[in-house]
Amino acid sequence: MSDPIFDYESTLEACARDDERAFHALYRQEAPQMLGLAISLLGQREPAEDCLHDAFVQIWRNAGRFQRSLGSGRAWIYSILRYRALNQLRQRGRTVELSDEIADHLVDESLSAAQQHEQQADKRHLRGCLQKLERPRRHPILLAFYRGLTHEQIAARLTTPLGTIKGRIRSGLRALQECLQR
């Protein structure tokens, strides 16, 4: 469980100034949870450990690119991990096939991990907005974001025309944005 008072933003800004102690503090704070998420995404511990290592190298190298105004520090580091995991899956030439129930469960876990330090009201609001989307719009968004599938792969998996998938994702993201602004 993460420390609710850990200041991710200031820690990343310190990392940008080459503060190794800040980097070690960030690693101690998040590595166990990030490893768990990487294992969930990649399905095996060894590739997950490699992914975690690569993510922290990128966090250290790119800490200067973090901008508070664009989002939370914790979400930023988890996005780096997620992209690293998806790149590994693409390099292997495979995607993880999940049942809809497992995908929804992993989404809930990932959202909780990435948003844990945010206020409980914000988490409920985001989940509520996701749940308000009807399944035909929500499911393609989740497959794209959490599984890294392309529009073409989503269309094939859901046996739905590509144009329909693109339209559902576009309209679903618009609806999410509107809901989150309320």
Side-chain angles (χ1 to χ4, degrees):
M1 184 75 122
S2 69
D3 180 355
I5 56 175
F6 188 85
D7 188 347
Y8 294 90
E9 293 75 19
S10 295
T11 302
L12 285 168
E13 289 164 351
C15 289
R17 296 187 304 272
D18 296 329
D19 182 339
E20 291 181 15
R21 285 184 291 168
F23 181 72
H24 290 294
L26 181 63
Y27 184 87
R28 282 190 307 273
Q29 178 70 23
E30 287 301 317
Q33 295 89 292
M34 291 174 75
L35 179 60
L37 179 58
I39 291 170
S40 293
L41 292 170
L42 297 170
Q44 297 175 331
R45 186 176 185 90
E46 188 173 326
E49 289 172 348
D50 291 341
C51 180
L52 179 68
H53 175 266
D54 292 346
F56 270 100
V57 168
Q58 289 303 310
I59 290 165
W60 176 252
R61 288 182 181 161
N62 296 307
R65 294 182 180 175
F66 169 71
Q67 296 177 33
R68 284 179 186 250
S69 61
L70 298 178
S72 74
R74 191 160 193 247
W76 186 78
I77 66 172
Y78 275 86
S79 69
I80 290 173
L81 177 75
R82 179 184 160 272
Y83 287 118
R84 286 282 166 214
L86 294 175
N87 284 339
Q88 275 193 25
L89 289 172
R90 285 185 192 110
Q91 287 172 355
R92 288 189 222 164
R94 71 180 204 37
T95 58
V96 177
E97 291 298 323
L98 300 172
S99 71
D100 294 340
E101 295 79 27
I102 293 172
D104 288 342
H105 177 70
L106 284 175
V107 167
D108 289 341
E109 285 181 5
S110 297
L111 287 175
S112 294
Q115 303 283 330
Q116 201 169 33
H117 75 286
E118 300 292 342
Q119 296 177 355
Q120 290 297 325
D122 290 340
K123 285 196 279 187
R124 285 191 302 272
H125 185 57
L126 176 59
R127 285 186 180 148
C129 289
L130 279 169
Q131 289 173 351
K132 285 180 186 175
L133 286 178
E134 64 278 1
R135 182 174 175 77
R137 290 195 299 171
R138 181 181 67 236
H139 196 62
I141 291 170
L142 298 178
L143 288 172
F145 187 76
Y146 289 99
R147 292 285 120 217
L149 299 181
T150 65
H151 290 146
E152 292 81 7
Q153 290 169 327
I154 295 168
R157 176 175 174 160
L158 300 179
T159 60
T160 304
L162 179 60
T164 302
I165 292 297
K166 288 181 177 181
R168 287 176 180 174
I169 289 173
R170 224 179 358 262
S171 67
L173 290 174
R174 254 193 318 270
L176 267 180
Q177 185 177 28
E178 289 172 13
C179 180
L180 290 170
Q181 290 175 349
R182 288 183 208 147

